[in-house]
Amino acid sequence: EVQLVESGGGLVQPGGSLRLSCAASGFTFSSYAMSWVRQAPGKGLEWVSAISGSGGSTYYADSVKGRFTISRDNSKNTLYLQMNSLRAEDTAVYYCAKFARSIAAAGDFDYWGQGTLVTVSS
Amino acid sequence: DIQMTQSPSTLSASVGDRVTITCRASQSISSWLAWYQQKPGKAPKLLIYKASSLESGVPSRFSGSGSGTEFTLTISSLQPDDFATYYCQQYNSYPTFGPGTKVDIK
């Protein structure tokens, strides 16, 4: 059974940093690209970042480019999102999601974690 | 960036109704479109990929159609478990989602 379990969310002040983790199990982690998708309270879904199966290619939404860094450790089956220079508008539930059919970072998402809430506030 | 729109934003329906949600892309995305269902406090669930392919385990009352810039999600006979918010997502380029359509009880 595929499982994605996020952790690392919490309350952080504007300008602060946070690192999210997503522990994956139930599939060959290195064979699939992974992504982070966020959802602000009461709002829709926003793609944040993606990484290829090998970790060699990374992609970012314009809203987070230069502030967030996605990475993965295939030996630990874990996906990360390092978030720096956080802003109030980054407040959201952050989901990690598995690309359904691709080792490259493009496609639909067949499995999602339960999400972790990041709140940026003073 | 490819922009996605959905209509309607809210849809009130009864159990047994046929429901259709429309999704439009700002430029052609071929058939690179997925549909998700999301319930409050839960993660999205993949229903349809490549515009019309039913994800494994999803009931056959869900169907998708379209190509290019206009797509539809149809629920042939609405069930109590189907009251939720539905999102489309394009993956012709970096993923973008539609704003969602909330299906509630009439």
Side-chain angles (χ1 to χ4, degrees):
Chain A
E1 179 195 5
V2 172
Q3 284 199 319
L4 299 172
V5 180
E6 301 98 334
S7 60
L11 174 64
V12 61
Q13 293 188 336
S17 298
L18 214 53
R19 188 175 86 153
L20 307 182
S21 299
C22 171
S25 62
F27 65 102
T28 304
F29 184 65
S30 60
S31 294
Y32 292 90
M34 298 291 295
S35 190
W36 290 96
V37 177
R38 69 185 180 184
Q39 187 169 36
K43 302 297 185 183
L45 300 166
E46 180 190 14
W47 172 75
V48 172
S49 183
I51 187 167
S52 62
S54 67
S57 298
T58 57
Y59 310 87
Y60 299 94
D62 287 344
S63 58
V64 306
K65 200 173 295 182
R67 300 187 299 123
F68 290 11
T69 302
I70 191 171
S71 62
R72 63 193 295 160
D73 185 335
N74 286 346
S75 68
K76 295 182 178 179
N77 289 352
T78 303
L79 175 72
Y80 302 101
L81 185 68
Q82 177 67 43
M83 305 186 293
N84 298 331
S85 304
L86 283 160
R87 306 166 180 167
E89 55 265 36
D90 296 318
T91 294
V93 173
Y94 285 73
Y95 294 102
C96 89
K98 170 186 168 290
F99 281 95
R101 279 154 268 276
S102 178
I103 193 169
D108 50 307
F109 304 107
D110 59 350
Y111 288 95
W112 300 62
Q114 84 287 351
T116 187
L117 177 62
V118 172
T119 304
V120 184
S121 175
S122 54
Chain B
D1 288 5
I2 299 175
Q3 310 300 320
M4 307 300 292
T5 59
Q6 287 182 234
S7 60
S9 54
T10 305
L11 188 159
S12 296
S14 301
V15 172
D17 284 355
R18 182 181 181 89
V19 166
T20 299
I21 299 168
T22 298
C23 175
R24 290 184 175 88
S26 59
Q27 64 189 74
S28 177
I29 57 170
S30 184
S31 295
W32 303 119
L33 186 101
W35 289 96
Y36 300 86
Q37 176 194 69
Q38 187 180 34
K39 297 181 180 179
K42 300 295 186 182
K45 174 187 175 182
L46 178 64
L47 301 174
I48 301 285
Y49 64 95
K50 209 173 179 186
S52 60
S53 295
L54 191 68
E55 175 68 354
S56 176
V58 174
S60 58
R61 62 180 180 274
F62 292 93
S63 64
S65 65
S67 66
T69 61
E70 188 157 334
F71 303 85
T72 58
L73 173 71
T74 300
I75 309 172
S76 60
S77 177
L78 197 66
Q79 299 302 301
D81 191 48
D82 301 338
F83 292 98
T85 300
Y86 293 84
Y87 294 94
C88 61
Q89 176 229 331
Q90 68 79 20
Y91 49 101
N92 184 72
S93 62
Y94 293 161
T96 50
F97 293 87
T101 295
K102 184 177 181 181
V103 177
D104 62 19
I105 300 173
K106 191 173 186 179

